[in-house]
Amino acid sequence: MSKKILILPGDGIGHEIVAETVKVLQCLRSEFALNVETEQALVGGAAYDVHATPLPDETLDLAKHADAVLLGAVGGYQWESLDIAVRPEKGLLGLRAGLDLFANLRPAILYPQLADASTLKPEVVSGLDIMIVRELTGGIYFGQPRGVRELENGEREGFNTLVYKESEVDRIVRVAMDIAMKRDKRLCSVDKANVLECTELWREVANRVGESWPDVELSHMYVDNAAMQLVREPKQFDVMVTTNMFGDILSDCAAMLTGSIGMLPSASLDEQGKGMYEPIHGSAPDIAGKNQANPLATILSLAMMLRYTLEEAEMAQRIEDAVNHVLDQGFRTQDICSSGKAVSTSEMGDAVCAAMLESS
Ligand code: IPM
Ligand code: MG
């Protein structure tokens, strides 16, 4: 039976980068006999405009019944003044929570061809290969209570809650340990245990879980230091595991080491390995509709989907090889183009398809 992929372009550049990724998917179907079906639905601002909610029930249902979900990006200027409960970002968070996608894998790999696109010195980033494992359905993003309240003196106070159950820390650290076992067997757990009780418990649980993986070298680092070390000596890291918000911040930081946030894919997985795949960047409303965005992070997210959820490692490899090839050939979208003329979003998608066909 063919597997079903739900495609959610979302907003802004989401449409363009997803269209190129669908092109790559169609190429795999028609030329390499990949057996998948696709369907498409609305999420984010696009869904709000039609259904007055960023996550219609129909979209969540389709996502639950699909084998995997491919998402572009959500958000845009026109929805920024909406109530926070119906803003596009809530659509994304609702999908993560609704599908229980607690494990977010964000690999930061430097393609050697792009060493000069990084703002860091080539020797600092060359060969960089870090995997950030971000907890995705808990922490301050979802903690209750939250809101804005009025104090007795009439002043308003905003509040959010950072909360983690032991079981939530346990399961994300296990995922990170498994990943570390397949890599260099070094895991750094990032917390703020010197100030926050919640992450003091995080560290305790991480140590406990670590006892079952004696082959993995487990270390701990405070998040402020981790941010500094990422730009000082990033190659000291193999796998990092951290909370939802720290992971959000550190993964953007790690992205810039690789030259552009336009290069980084991600996988968000549930307990069974079912998942949603998306670039780690946002909807970039400033360049939306201009055919300028880099589609490679989304195309590489499709490769992750093929590898992690659809068990089509060979198809994933075809995509990854093709991306390598187009970078070798000198194709660059504007975000990774340090000199010369940049190619457009669609030219990049076409180049990846052509590279796949050439190698067959
Ligand atoms: C990300 C994004 C999201 C997040 C936003 C769009 C809600 O920044 O996936 O990193 O904060 O998780
Ligand atoms: Mg982010």
Side-chain angles (χ1 to χ4, degrees):
M1 221 178 71
S2 66
K3 301 261 173 72
K4 208 178 275 176
I5 303 175
L6 177 65
I7 312 268
L8 301 173
D11 309 316
I13 59 167
H15 295 275
E16 299 150 70
I17 55 181
V18 165
E20 295 316 306
T21 307
V22 169
K23 236 186 227 174
V24 171
L25 187 62
Q26 299 301 7
C27 176
L28 287 174
R29 288 173 71 183
S30 60
E31 306 298 325
F32 301 98
L34 174 67
N35 189 13
V36 295
E37 280 168 40
T38 61
E39 47 195 353
Q40 197 159 320
L42 295 173
V43 73
Y48 177 83
D49 288 346
V50 179
H51 300 288
T53 164
L55 181 58
D57 291 343
E58 191 204 348
T59 300
L60 184 58
D61 275 354
L62 285 170
K64 282 183 177 162
H65 290 107
D67 293 291
V69 180
L70 179 75
L71 184 121
V74 297
Y77 307 131
Q78 66 268 52
W79 301 292
E80 273 171 13
S81 56
L82 289 178
D83 186 278
I84 198 165
V86 290
R87 263 184 232 155
E89 289 76 7
K90 279 282 178 204
L92 177 56
L93 297 178
L95 277 169
R96 290 174 180 170
L99 301 175
D100 205 13
L101 305 173
F102 70 96
N104 185 214
L105 316 188
R106 300 191 158 190
I109 295 171
L110 179 85
Y111 284 84
Q113 303 94 322
L114 299 182
D116 62 356
S118 175
T119 46
L120 271 74
K121 295 192 194 103
E123 63 268 27
V124 175
V125 291
S126 71
L128 183 86
D129 179 356
I130 302 175
M131 176 67 93
I132 297 182
V133 180
R134 169 187 176 193
E135 199 292 325
L136 203 61
T137 50
I140 199 164
Y141 270 53
F142 293 93
Q144 295 289 348
R146 60 193 294 150
V148 177
R149 60 191 162 210
E150 199 170 308
L151 302 175
E152 271 172 19
N153 67 2
E155 190 189 358
R156 288 180 312 150
E157 174 181 74
F159 58 101
N160 288 87
T161 305
L162 172 62
V163 55
Y164 271 113
K165 289 200 273 274
E166 289 181 287
S167 54
E168 290 175 295
V169 182
D170 189 280
R171 65 179 184 172
I172 191 70
V173 176
R174 282 175 193 280
V175 169
M177 284 286 179
D178 276 339
I179 292 172
M181 278 304 284
K182 295 186 193 129
R183 296 173 45 108
D184 201 32
K185 300 191 176 57
R186 289 179 297 117
L187 175 62
C188 179
S189 171
V190 177
D191 60 39
K192 189 70 185 172
N194 51 343
V195 177
L196 305 171
E197 290 83 349
C198 177
T199 65
E200 198 180 13
L201 179 64
W202 174 288
R203 187 177 285 216
E204 192 188 311
V205 175
N207 277 327
R208 196 165 69 209
V209 173
E211 287 167 15
S212 308
W213 273 269
D215 294 339
V216 174
E217 182 192 311
L218 173 65
S219 60
H220 303 275
M221 201 179 271
Y222 298 140
V223 64
D224 48 350
N225 187 23
M228 181 173 76
Q229 296 301 332
L230 267 178
V231 290
R232 195 185 76 91
E233 199 197 328
K235 283 186 274 181
Q236 70 184 279
F237 297 111
D238 177 26
V239 182
M240 302 172 93
V241 63
T242 191
T243 65
N244 203 341
M245 187 159 78
F246 295 165
D248 178 45
I249 299 166
L250 293 179
S251 59
D252 268 30
C253 179
M256 274 325 286
L257 307 174
T258 72
S260 168
I261 197 165
M263 292 298 299
L264 260 64
S266 82
S268 307
L269 305 175
D270 71 6
E271 207 89 55
Q272 280 73 45
K274 182 181 151 176
M276 180 160 82
Y277 295 79
E278 54 176 314
I280 81 155
H281 61 70
S283 59
D286 52 324
I287 57 163
K290 295 189 177 160
N291 201 16
Q292 279 178 9
N294 185 348
L296 292 181
T298 320
I299 291 173
L300 290 167
S301 299
L302 173 64
M304 284 188 93
M305 176 196 292
L306 290 164
R307 200 181 287 285
Y308 286 93
T309 298
L310 302 181
E311 289 168 17
E312 295 278 4
E314 205 180 296
M315 300 281 173
Q317 196 63 48
R318 278 185 211 287
I319 297 180
E320 287 160 357
D321 289 348
V323 168
N324 238 312
H325 189 65
V326 300
L327 293 175
D328 279 342
Q329 288 173 304
F331 286 95
R332 302 280 186 274
T333 41
Q334 55 153 26
D335 57 313
I336 49 174
C337 185
S338 38
S339 63
K341 184 184 168 291
V343 301
S344 67
T345 311
S346 51
E347 284 166 338
M348 187 60 110
D350 290 340
V352 173
C353 291
M356 288 200 304
L357 292 176
E358 215 174 282
S359 70
S360 67

